Amino acid sequence: MQADIEVDFMPQEVKEKLADKIQNKVQLSLNEQIIKDSNVYCPEDTGTLQSSVVMGLGDDAYVQWNESYASRQYHGDENNFNYSTDKNVNARGHWFEAAKAEHVKDWEELCNERLKK
């Protein structure tokens, strides 16, 4: 005969803090990889745009290129906007979408790997 006993003395608030810590750890790794992969397609002149990236964690996690001209570069009309490829041959608008199209499965695997640690 088997007796299954559940022993759980950890308060809910401690569980939530641990969950938040794990989530932030996974989100940080994902954000860093998104930045790395996206910057492959980000226009580059002096490198200011690529290095202007900031990120946020938690419920409102984000990655943002934070130069005054970032939005214009990102949303520029691909057909009528001249992206210089002198320093980055992959330069284009919508660089996050380009990276996502190529790496979304890698990003999913990264998250799954981090959850196992």
Side-chain angles (χ1 to χ4, degrees), residues 2-117:
Q2 180 178 0
D4 293 324
I5 301 169
E6 194 171 312
V7 181
D8 188 359
F9 295 106
M10 190 178 298
Q12 185 62 31
E13 59 209 32
V14 174
K15 288 182 186 179
E16 289 171 5
K17 286 182 182 178
L18 285 172
D20 288 345
K21 186 175 182 179
I22 292 167
Q23 178 184 351
N24 283 339
K25 181 179 176 183
V26 173
Q27 188 69 56
L28 177 63
S29 295
L30 177 60
N31 285 1
E32 288 172 343
Q33 193 62 49
I34 286 172
I35 292 165
K36 180 180 174 186
D37 294 338
S38 296
N39 274 343
V40 168
Y41 303 102
C42 184
E44 181 180 3
D45 183 24
T46 64
T48 304
L49 179 59
Q50 290 180 342
S51 65
S52 74
V53 70
V54 294
M55 69 174 93
L57 302 174
D59 292 336
D60 298 321
Y62 64 90
V63 172
Q64 180 181 63
W65 285 260
N66 207 22
E67 273 298 313
S68 60
Y69 55 88
S71 180
R72 187 173 65 250
Q73 287 284 315
Y74 191 81
H75 296 290
D77 179 358
E78 297 285 343
N79 297 320
N80 298 315
F81 202 87
N82 184 16
Y83 292 99
S84 173
T85 55
D86 292 346
K87 294 189 178 179
N88 182 358
V89 296
N90 299 307
R92 66 187 73 187
H94 300 275
W95 50 85
F96 166 76
E97 280 81 5
K100 182 179 175 185
E102 185 173 335
H103 296 286
V104 70
K105 294 220 184 284
D106 299 331
W107 297 346
E108 290 172 4
E109 288 175 19
L110 172 71
C111 291
N112 288 327
E113 287 173 19
R114 293 298 185 265
L115 284 172
K116 292 176 186 175
K117 291 183 178 183

